Amino acid sequence: YVARIASPGEILTLYRYFGPESKYAPDIHHNNWDTEESEPMVVGGPASGVTIDKEQHLITSSALKKAFDRFMGNFRAGRGINIFHSDTRVGWVLPAYINKQGEIFKSGVDKNGLWVISELSNDTPIAKKVIEEIKNDKIKSYSIAGSATDTEIMHKGAQVYLQVNDLCIVGETKVL
């Protein structure tokens, strides 16, 4: 916020947490972010579960946690959200978001997998199209893209799968 690079969703969250008398109120009112039509599109959901997926991969919760922490810690990479695993950026991951009702939503990893809260950009044609697709229920899910850096072949009964013990999420860097 001090560096003037906080997004509208981040500033709204700070305003909702610290209240209408906070230093964030002038930004909210000046930009009219407190109105329904100007509030940014913020969406959330599971991005990767700790389960064997359709590619026969299982990413462990500890691998997800390490990779997600690195991803969120790499500010220069921008914590980007891309459309359909492309290089087309349509938003960014938020650490947390507080909605108008005061509910708090957090990005992070638990024993079930990775949960992501993201703010969508509205300044490019593709981002605007993605917002419309979400509103029209045509885009309903997240997934992560990354590179496995430590894997092992595992067996669960007759099923063979690749267990990912470490990975780099797109936009994150890892010194190997």
Side-chain angles (χ1 to χ4, degrees):
Y1 179 81
V2 172
R4 308 304 294 164
I5 56 176
S7 73
E10 291 167 317
I11 296 171
L12 272 168
T13 294
L14 292 167
Y15 169 75
R16 289 172 179 157
Y17 183 79
F18 289 104
E21 301 302 318
S22 69
K23 65 182 176 182
Y24 311 104
D27 279 337
I28 299 300
H29 300 306
H30 173 75
N31 293 299
N32 294 318
W33 290 333
D34 53 350
T35 63
E36 188 70 35
E37 53 278 349
S38 65
E39 185 159 335
M41 167 72 87
V42 175
V43 296
S48 183
V50 181
T51 185
I52 300 171
D53 64 20
K54 64 183 177 183
E55 286 88 22
Q56 301 304 303
H57 299 156
L58 182 142
I59 305 172
T60 65
S61 60
S62 63
L64 280 171
K65 173 127 179 59
K66 285 189 290 185
F68 187 69
D69 288 348
R70 286 191 304 259
F71 174 77
M72 292 300 285
N74 187 352
F75 186 77
R76 294 250 183 246
R79 304 173 182 160
I81 294 290
N82 301 338
I83 185 69
F84 301 124
H85 295 267
S86 72
D87 290 333
T88 305
R89 188 173 177 163
V90 295
W92 46 89
V93 176
L94 296 175
Y97 180 71
I98 300 174
N99 69 12
K100 284 184 176 186
Q101 293 74 32
E103 297 171 293
I104 300 170
F105 300 92
K106 294 182 180 182
S107 295
V109 178
D110 63 18
K111 64 182 171 79
N112 298 312
L114 171 60
W115 180 270
V116 174
I117 304 299
S118 61
E119 180 177 350
L120 298 177
S121 172
N122 67 355
D123 59 354
T124 65
I126 189 69
K128 289 177 183 178
K129 182 170 174 51
V130 168
I131 289 170
E132 286 307 310
E133 299 265 321
I134 290 169
K135 287 179 178 179
N136 293 325
D137 236 12
K138 293 182 179 175
I139 297 177
K140 302 178 185 183
S141 62
Y142 280 114
S143 67
I144 62 168
S147 299
T149 58
D150 179 19
T151 62
E152 60 184 303
I153 302 294
M154 303 294 286
H155 301 273
K156 187 175 188 177
Q159 184 176 24
V160 178
Y161 62 95
L162 185 71
Q163 180 171 296
V164 178
N165 298 317
D166 198 19
L167 76 149
C168 291
I169 298 174
V170 170
E172 135 193 25
T173 58
K174 180 181 177 192
V175 178
L176 299 174

